[in-house]
Amino acid sequence: MPSRYDLDRDALADLLDGEPRYRVDQVWDGLYRQLAQPAELTTLPKALRSRLDDELPAALAPVAESTDRHGDTVKWLFELDDGARVETVLMHYRDRTTVCVSSQAGCAMGCGFCATGQAGFRRQMTTGEIVEQVVRAARRARDDGRRLGNVVFMGMGEPLANYDRVWPAVERLHGDLGLSARHLTLSTVGLVPAIRRLAGEDLPVNLAVSLHAANDGLRDELVPVNRRYPLSVLMGACADYLRAKGRRLSFEWALIDGTNDRPADARELAELARTLPLPAHVNLIPLNPTPGYATRGTPRDGVERFRHQLGDLGVNATVRRNRGTDIDAACGQLAARVDLRARPAS
Ligand code: SF4
């Protein structure tokens, strides 16, 4: 049975066949504008509410919820209908509220330093499962007196490896939840055909490329998909994306001690960034240890040194603020990175 956010309007109209036509608008508005559950839609007759509650089930069952000390970061562990588990993180910053969503249960990309990559791929998430993460986060943000404005696809999975479900979710977030395309960011380890497909879409979303290395030898090792789409090919696709969209491109760079944090790495990264038609922004992520990967993250002073080196080379770089989670920085890292007090979800 499709979940409540898997249905498009036509499918909802089919489900409501026999009801007055305006019921479709009422239910759609309830799900996307009011962020309500069918049982809460008091404009509907009671019998219809209860029917919809049965026939439009939620896709996500909360298993655990964690918050940081200040209540600025909320992380959920959700179970899907087949028992697969995914995570979603809501972050309140001073000037914005962002949710980081998962797009696959597990991931097949096999990046060695990533907890999700080590666990392997389980299945694609559906459009409804992706959208529902955002709706739940938006609801929580509203309860916290904030408005959810940004979505980053940097949770579990490689979003562009699930393009056919992720893109309809992006369209739903934009068209029905009213989020600006400029505030939606898709991350990728560098799936070139999908980047090219993205360049042909109408909505100008942001692209975040998980780079982590600026030479093919090291990147082959850290990000195995580089063997299929080496840096020259990836940079060509990024340049074309920038020309087509004029949107911001960011490089994600998980700093691994002694591996990709040396002066030579900064120089290679700066050279690579210079090949693009618009300046790229670099997000530096001090890597947290994961059980299957012996290498440790760059210490704090090394992170700052690397950032200064990039700055001296004319590359804008930001170190991700550590707020108990850096989930908005590197896909799949959250299983190992989040250190919040968990409690069972109600
Ligand atoms: S870093 Fe991202 S793409 Fe790589 S294995 Fe982890 S989730 Fe997948």
Side-chain angles (χ1 to χ4, degrees), residues 24-80:
V24 178
D25 288 339
Q26 280 181 321
V27 175
W28 199 260
D29 185 77
L31 292 175
Y32 288 93
R33 296 283 164 192
Q34 300 171 41
L35 311 174
Q37 314 215 26
E40 297 168 336
L41 299 178
T42 48
T43 47
L44 305 180
K46 209 168 169 199
L48 181 57
R49 262 184 273 162
S50 113
R51 190 189 131 208
L52 289 178
D53 223 32
D54 289 343
E55 295 181 14
L56 287 180
L60 309 175
V63 175
E65 180 183 312
S66 329
T67 50
D68 71 353
R69 269 185 307 134
H70 309 291
D72 289 339
T73 305
V74 184
K75 178 196 162 198
W76 291 276
L77 179 65
F78 291 119
E79 190 162 277
L80 311 181

Side-chain angles (χ1 to χ4, degrees), residues 104 106-118 154-159 187-189 210 212 222-224 330-333:
Q104 299 180 306
C107 183
M109 295 295 129
C111 305
F113 56 87
C114 166
T116 301
Q118 286 161 21
M154 294 185 183
M156 273 186 188
E158 158 60 49
S187 75
T188 180
V189 278
S210 299
H212 310 311
L222 295 179
V223 183
C331 53
Q333 282 287 292

Side-chain angles (χ1 to χ4, degrees), residues 266-330:
R267 282 196 297 276
E268 282 174 353
L269 173 51
E271 267 166 41
L272 206 64
R274 259 183 234 119
T275 64
L276 295 172
L278 290 172
H281 187 88
V282 176
N283 289 314
L284 299 173
I285 310 145
L287 183 71
N288 283 357
T290 66
Y293 192 66
T295 308
R296 66 188 192 106
T298 302
R300 183 169 284 273
D301 57 341
V303 172
E304 273 311 306
R305 195 164 48 242
F306 195 76
R307 186 174 73 82
H308 279 296
Q309 282 161 355
L310 287 176
D312 291 345
L313 292 161
V315 177
N316 230 326
T318 308
V319 179
R320 287 286 182 184
R321 279 180 278 172
N322 193 330
R323 322 185 33 183
T325 171
D326 281 339
I327 177 55
D328 61 335

Side-chain angles (χ1 to χ4, degrees), residues 2-204:
S3 69
R4 63 187 61 148
Y5 290 99
D6 276 310
L7 260 57
D8 60 19
R9 249 178 198 276
D10 290 342
L12 181 64
D14 289 346
L15 187 77
L16 292 172
D17 192 28
E19 296 284 339
R21 290 296 300 171
Y22 60 81
R23 292 278 183 237
V24 178
D25 288 339
Q26 280 181 321
V27 175
W28 199 260
D29 185 77
L31 292 175
Y32 288 93
R33 296 283 164 192
Q34 300 171 41
L35 311 174
Q37 314 215 26
E40 297 168 336
L41 299 178
T42 48
T43 47
L44 305 180
K46 209 168 169 199
L48 181 57
R49 262 184 273 162
S50 113
R51 190 189 131 208
L52 289 178
D53 223 32
D54 289 343
E55 295 181 14
L56 287 180
L60 309 175
V63 175
E65 180 183 312
S66 329
T67 50
D68 71 353
R69 269 185 307 134
H70 309 291
D72 289 339
T73 305
V74 184
K75 178 196 162 198
W76 291 276
L77 179 65
F78 291 119
E79 190 162 277
L80 311 181
D81 64 355
D82 60 354
R85 291 182 170 193
V86 298
E87 290 166 306
T88 308
V89 182
L90 175 69
M91 290 158 287
H92 297 310
Y93 296 91
R94 189 177 47 78
D95 56 345
R96 66 190 192 283
T97 292
T98 299
V99 65
C100 176
V101 298
S102 296
S103 55
Q104 299 180 306
C107 183
M109 295 295 129
C111 305
F113 56 87
C114 166
T116 301
Q118 286 161 21
F121 177 71
R122 179 145 175 182
R123 74 161 167 87
Q124 304 287 19
M125 291 181 72
T126 69
T127 297
E129 288 165 344
I130 296 167
V131 171
E132 192 176 317
Q133 292 173 81
V134 180
V135 171
R136 284 176 181 263
R139 215 176 137 116
R140 168 59 73 90
R142 187 178 65 190
D143 292 348
D144 291 346
R146 303 288 296 254
R147 189 186 158 272
L148 179 72
N150 300 276
V151 180
V152 294
F153 286 74
M154 294 185 183
M156 273 186 188
E158 158 60 49
L160 298 192
N162 187 15
Y163 199 105
D164 291 340
R165 296 160 197 87
V166 164
W167 190 255
V170 166
E171 291 182 319
R172 203 73 69 76
L173 301 183
H174 174 262
D176 295 299
L177 279 180
L179 295 168
S180 160
R182 292 167 185 276
H183 295 159
L184 306 176
T185 301
L186 293 182
S187 75
T188 180
V189 278
L191 300 188
V192 166
I195 294 173
R196 296 203 173 282
R197 188 173 164 193
L198 198 61
E201 304 285 2
D202 285 341
L203 295 178

